[in-house]
Amino acid sequence: MLQYITTAFNDKNVISIDIIFLDFSNAFNCVPHFALFKKLSKIGISGSFLKIIIDSFKNRKEFISYNNCNSNPYCIKVGIPQGQVSSPIYFNIYKSDLIECIKYSKLYEFADDTVLVKIIKNNDDRKQLQSDLNNISQWCSENELSLNPNKTELLNIHTKYEYITSLYKINKTFIKTVESHKHLGIYLDKKLNFNLNTEEVISKSFKKWGILKFICKNHDSDIFLSLYKTFILPKLEYSNLIFTLNNNNMEKIEKVQRNITKFISYKMAKNDSKLY
């Protein structure tokens, strides 16, 4: 998605790029089992494999517990169990035909995290984006899902112009325009400079490192090195290949690494001195 956006700005006629982060209301809980099985069969899953999947959804029951009283259990015919490895796969298959109703925009999907992107050059492009948004809303109605207009957000990315986009709607409700949005763990902002993302990564890294230092203060350097590689370094390097940081942000990230490695080196030196 980022590659598509940055490449689009090579065209001088591009005013902005409008990104709509769609939010499905209770996405996993609203998928009808019968409709899911039908779509699984449509993509070629059949025979004993399909039967195993169907059996895994059968005889699932739930009840309501309130004030030490339980309701009678009833069979569940809607919803995908959350927390399983297969759950996002089932949901992706269920909404795999959503792309067919998109005519003018780009659609990027990761389970229920769905993004609609449109390059804006004139007012007609905005109308086309609204048209695709209407088609998605119609698809949701036909597939027993619904979009939440109050949590769906619009991010307008521009580099040269202070451009205020026209407002888009979902079922007569205006979509909120935001300055930044966190998507799959990455903060995207309207200038696409990732300053907010850098600050968030640094803040969380220092907080986590402070907690680890307090809990493990009596341990040696080998333990701290393992903690750094396990809990801090993955946070600093998360998705760093998909965007380019400016020199200022790069220096801030490297400062975190220098501070922590300096502490670990001090621990190593202290341990070596005790050996002698």
Side-chain angles (χ1 to χ4, degrees), residues 217-249:
K217 56 185 176 182
N218 296 323
H219 291 278
D220 59 21
S221 58
D222 291 337
I223 295 296
F224 278 100
L225 183 59
S226 296
L227 291 172
Y228 169 65
K229 290 180 178 180
T230 304
F231 295 104
I232 307 300
L233 193 58
K235 187 174 290 294
L236 295 174
E237 295 183 343
Y238 176 69
S239 296
N240 62 355
L241 295 178
I242 68 169
F243 52 80
T244 303
L245 297 176
N246 57 40
N247 291 335
N248 185 37
N249 287 335

Coordinates of all heavy atoms in Angstrom, one line a residue, residues 217-249:
K217 N 17.2 -6.6 37.8 CA 18.4 -5.8 38.2 C 19.5 -6.6 38.7 O 20.7 -6.2 38.7 CB 17.9 -4.7 39.2 CG 17.3 -5.3 40.4 CD 16.8 -4.1 41.3 CE 16.0 -4.6 42.5 NZ 15.4 -3.5 43.3
N218 N 19.2 -7.8 39.3 CA 20.3 -8.6 39.9 C 20.9 -9.6 38.9 O 21.7 -10.4 39.3 CB 19.8 -9.3 41.1 CG 19.3 -8.3 42.2 OD1 20.0 -7.3 42.4 ND2 18.3 -8.6 42.9
H219 N 20.5 -9.6 37.7 CA 21.0 -10.6 36.7 C 22.2 -10.0 36.0 O 22.4 -8.8 35.9 CB 19.8 -11.0 35.8 CG 18.7 -11.8 36.4 ND1 18.8 -13.1 36.6 CD2 17.5 -11.4 36.9 CE1 17.7 -13.6 37.2 NE2 16.9 -12.5 37.4
D220 N 22.9 -11.0 35.3 CA 24.1 -10.6 34.6 C 23.8 -10.1 33.2 O 22.6 -10.0 32.7 CB 25.1 -11.7 34.5 CG 24.5 -13.0 33.8 OD1 23.5 -12.8 33.1 OD2 25.0 -14.1 34.1
S221 N 24.9 -9.7 32.5 CA 24.7 -9.1 31.1 C 24.1 -10.1 30.1 O 23.4 -9.6 29.2 CB 26.1 -8.7 30.6 OG 27.0 -9.7 30.6
D222 N 24.4 -11.4 30.2 CA 23.8 -12.3 29.3 C 22.3 -12.3 29.3 O 21.6 -12.4 28.2 CB 24.3 -13.7 29.5 CG 25.8 -13.9 29.3 OD1 26.3 -13.1 28.4 OD2 26.4 -14.8 29.8
I223 N 21.7 -12.2 30.5 CA 20.3 -12.1 30.6 C 19.7 -10.8 30.0 O 18.7 -10.8 29.2 CB 19.8 -12.2 32.1 CG1 20.2 -13.5 32.7 CG2 18.3 -11.9 32.2 CD1 19.5 -14.7 32.1
F224 N 20.4 -9.7 30.2 CA 20.0 -8.4 29.7 C 20.1 -8.4 28.1 O 19.2 -7.8 27.4 CB 20.7 -7.3 30.3 CG 20.2 -6.8 31.6 CD1 20.8 -7.2 32.8 CD2 19.1 -6.0 31.7 CE1 20.3 -6.8 34.0 CE2 18.6 -5.6 32.9 CZ 19.2 -6.0 34.1
L225 N 21.1 -9.0 27.6 CA 21.3 -9.1 26.2 C 20.1 -9.9 25.6 O 19.6 -9.6 24.5 CB 22.6 -9.7 25.8 CG 23.0 -9.8 24.3 CD1 23.0 -8.4 23.7 CD2 24.3 -10.5 24.1
S226 N 19.8 -11.0 26.2 CA 18.6 -11.8 25.7 C 17.3 -11.1 25.8 O 16.5 -11.1 24.9 CB 18.5 -13.1 26.5 OG 19.7 -13.9 26.4
L227 N 17.1 -10.3 26.9 CA 15.9 -9.5 27.0 C 15.9 -8.5 25.9 O 14.8 -8.2 25.4 CB 15.9 -8.9 28.4 CG 15.7 -9.8 29.6 CD1 15.9 -9.0 30.9 CD2 14.4 -10.4 29.6
Y228 N 17.0 -7.8 25.6 CA 17.0 -6.8 24.6 C 16.7 -7.4 23.2 O 15.9 -6.8 22.5 CB 18.4 -6.2 24.6 CG 18.7 -5.3 23.4 CD1 18.0 -4.1 23.2 CD2 19.6 -5.6 22.4 CE1 18.2 -3.3 22.1 CE2 19.9 -4.8 21.3 CZ 19.1 -3.7 21.2 OH 19.4 -2.9 20.1
K229 N 17.3 -8.5 22.9 CA 17.0 -9.1 21.6 C 15.6 -9.7 21.5 O 15.0 -9.7 20.4 CB 18.0 -10.3 21.4 CG 19.4 -9.9 21.2 CD 20.3 -11.1 20.9 CE 21.7 -10.7 20.7 NZ 22.6 -11.9 20.4
T230 N 15.0 -10.0 22.6 CA 13.6 -10.6 22.6 C 12.5 -9.6 22.6 O 11.5 -9.7 21.9 CB 13.5 -11.6 23.8 OG1 14.5 -12.6 23.8 CG2 12.1 -12.3 23.8
F231 N 12.7 -8.5 23.5 CA 11.6 -7.6 23.7 C 11.8 -6.2 23.1 O 10.8 -5.6 22.8 CB 11.4 -7.5 25.2 CG 10.9 -8.7 25.9 CD1 11.8 -9.5 26.7 CD2 9.6 -9.2 25.8 CE1 11.4 -10.6 27.3 CE2 9.2 -10.3 26.4 CZ 10.1 -11.1 27.2
I232 N 13.0 -5.8 22.9 CA 13.2 -4.4 22.5 C 13.5 -4.3 21.0 O 12.9 -3.5 20.3 CB 14.3 -3.7 23.3 CG1 14.0 -3.9 24.8 CG2 14.5 -2.3 22.9 CD1 12.7 -3.2 25.3
L233 N 14.5 -5.1 20.6 CA 15.0 -5.1 19.2 C 13.8 -5.3 18.2 O 13.7 -4.6 17.2 CB 16.1 -6.0 19.0 CG 16.9 -5.9 17.7 CD1 17.5 -4.5 17.6 CD2 18.0 -6.9 17.6
P234 N 13.0 -6.3 18.4 CA 11.8 -6.5 17.5 C 10.9 -5.3 17.3 O 10.4 -5.0 16.3 CB 11.1 -7.7 18.1 CG 12.1 -8.5 18.9 CD 13.0 -7.4 19.4
K235 N 10.8 -4.6 18.4 CA 9.9 -3.4 18.4 C 10.6 -2.3 17.6 O 9.9 -1.6 16.9 CB 9.6 -2.9 19.8 CG 8.6 -1.8 19.9 CD 8.3 -1.5 21.4 CE 7.5 -2.6 22.0 NZ 6.2 -2.7 21.4
L236 N 11.9 -2.2 17.7 CA 12.6 -1.1 17.0 C 12.7 -1.4 15.5 O 12.7 -0.5 14.7 CB 14.0 -1.0 17.5 CG 14.2 -0.5 19.0 CD1 15.6 -0.6 19.4 CD2 13.7 0.9 19.1
E237 N 12.7 -2.7 15.2 CA 12.9 -3.1 13.8 C 11.6 -3.5 13.1 O 11.6 -3.9 11.9 CB 13.8 -4.3 13.7 CG 15.3 -4.0 14.1 CD 16.2 -5.1 14.0 OE1 15.7 -6.3 13.8 OE2 17.4 -4.9 14.0
Y238 N 10.4 -3.4 13.8 CA 9.2 -3.9 13.2 C 8.8 -3.1 12.0 O 8.7 -1.8 12.0 CB 8.1 -3.7 14.3 CG 6.7 -4.0 13.7 CD1 6.3 -5.3 13.4 CD2 5.7 -3.0 13.5 CE1 5.1 -5.7 12.9 CE2 4.5 -3.3 13.0 CZ 4.2 -4.7 12.7 OH 2.9 -5.0 12.2
S239 N 8.7 -3.8 10.9 CA 8.3 -3.2 9.6 C 9.2 -2.1 9.1 O 8.8 -1.2 8.3 CB 6.9 -2.7 9.6 OG 6.0 -3.8 9.8
N240 N 10.5 -2.1 9.5 CA 11.4 -1.0 9.1 C 11.8 -1.0 7.7 O 12.3 -0.1 7.1 CB 12.6 -0.9 10.0 CG 13.5 -2.2 9.9 OD1 13.1 -3.2 9.2 ND2 14.6 -2.2 10.5
L241 N 11.4 -2.1 7.0 CA 11.8 -2.2 5.5 C 10.7 -1.5 4.6 O 11.0 -1.3 3.5 CB 11.9 -3.7 5.1 CG 13.1 -4.4 5.8 CD1 13.1 -5.9 5.3 CD2 14.4 -3.8 5.5
I242 N 9.6 -1.2 5.2 CA 8.5 -0.7 4.3 C 8.5 0.8 4.3 O 7.7 1.4 3.5 CB 7.1 -1.2 4.8 CG1 6.7 -0.6 6.1 CG2 7.1 -2.7 4.8 CD1 5.3 -0.9 6.5
F243 N 9.3 1.5 5.1 CA 9.3 3.0 5.0 C 10.7 3.5 5.3 O 11.6 2.8 5.8 CB 8.4 3.6 6.1 CG 8.5 3.1 7.5 CD1 9.5 3.6 8.3 CD2 7.7 2.2 8.0 CE1 9.7 3.1 9.6 CE2 7.8 1.7 9.3 CZ 8.8 2.2 10.1
T244 N 11.0 4.7 4.8 CA 12.3 5.3 5.0 C 12.2 6.4 6.0 O 11.5 7.4 5.8 CB 12.8 5.9 3.6 OG1 12.8 4.8 2.7 CG2 14.2 6.5 3.8
L245 N 13.0 6.3 7.0 CA 13.1 7.3 8.1 C 14.0 8.5 7.7 O 15.0 8.2 7.0 CB 13.5 6.7 9.4 CG 12.6 5.6 10.0 CD1 13.2 5.1 11.3 CD2 11.2 6.2 10.3
N246 N 13.7 9.7 8.1 CA 14.6 10.8 7.8 C 15.8 10.7 8.9 O 15.7 9.9 9.8 CB 13.9 12.1 7.9 CG 13.2 12.3 9.3 OD1 13.7 12.0 10.3 ND2 12.0 12.9 9.2
N247 N 16.8 11.5 8.7 CA 18.0 11.4 9.5 C 17.7 11.7 11.0 O 18.2 11.0 11.9 CB 19.0 12.4 9.0 CG 19.6 12.1 7.7 OD1 19.6 10.9 7.3 ND2 20.0 13.1 6.9
N248 N 16.7 12.6 11.3 CA 16.4 12.9 12.6 C 15.7 11.7 13.3 O 16.1 11.3 14.5 CB 15.4 14.1 12.7 CG 15.1 14.5 14.1 OD1 16.0 14.5 15.0 ND2 13.9 14.9 14.3
N249 N 14.8 11.0 12.7 CA 14.1 9.9 13.3 C 15.1 8.7 13.4 O 15.1 7.9 14.3 CB 12.9 9.4 12.4 CG 11.8 10.4 12.6 OD1 11.7 11.1 13.6 ND2 10.9 10.4 11.6

